[in-house]
Amino acid sequence: LMLELSDRQFEEVELIVQSSISNRQLQLELIDHCCCYVEEQMSLGMPFEEALTYFFGFIAAFFIIIGFMMRMLHWPGADYVSFAGNTGLIISMFILPSASIAC
């Protein structure tokens, strides 16, 4: 049985994605992927806030690894990708959990 996000939970995901990504098509795709992952984890018994934190932590780790690889290959833009990954990691580790507690 797959659980569905409530309207408030969907709006929370939408707000986080829209505040960090400007491309509308990318926003829609990321919102869809995030909601699918969170719903799957919730159906396995994980709370919404924890599943959301895990998702954004995974995305941040992905950017950190890609940024590291770009830096090793001396590709342009490596600093921006690494910065995005580290910023995402900070958000997923400190800001998302404290925002969930405040709700």
Side-chain angles (χ1 to χ4, degrees):
L1 178 67
M2 187 73 126
L3 296 178
E4 291 187 13
L5 297 179
S6 68
D7 289 339
R8 183 195 65 79
Q9 292 169 331
F10 178 79
E11 289 170 3
E12 187 175 339
V13 169
E14 191 175 37
L15 179 66
I16 292 168
V17 171
Q18 287 177 347
S19 67
S20 58
I21 309 245
S22 59
N23 182 307
R24 183 66 182 151
Q25 187 63 35
L26 185 58
Q27 285 177 353
L28 294 174
E29 291 294 328
L30 192 57
I31 289 169
D32 179 54
H33 289 301
C34 181
C35 289
C36 289
Y37 175 81
V38 170
E39 287 172 346
E40 180 181 345
Q41 295 304 311
M42 286 173 57
S43 68
L44 297 173
M46 186 181 287
F48 168 75
E49 292 81 12
E50 188 176 340
L52 187 63
T53 301
Y54 272 95
F55 178 79
F56 284 109
F58 172 77
I59 296 296
F62 175 77
F63 273 94
I64 290 170
I65 291 168
I66 295 299
F68 177 73
M69 288 175 30
M70 289 174 69
R71 188 170 281 157
M72 294 296 293
L73 296 170
H74 302 287
W75 287 357
D79 291 337
Y80 298 113
V81 175
S82 295
F83 179 77
N86 287 315
T87 303
L89 185 63
I90 291 169
I91 289 170
S92 69
M93 296 298 290
F94 299 109
I95 296 174
L96 284 178
S98 64
S100 299
I101 293 169
C103 290

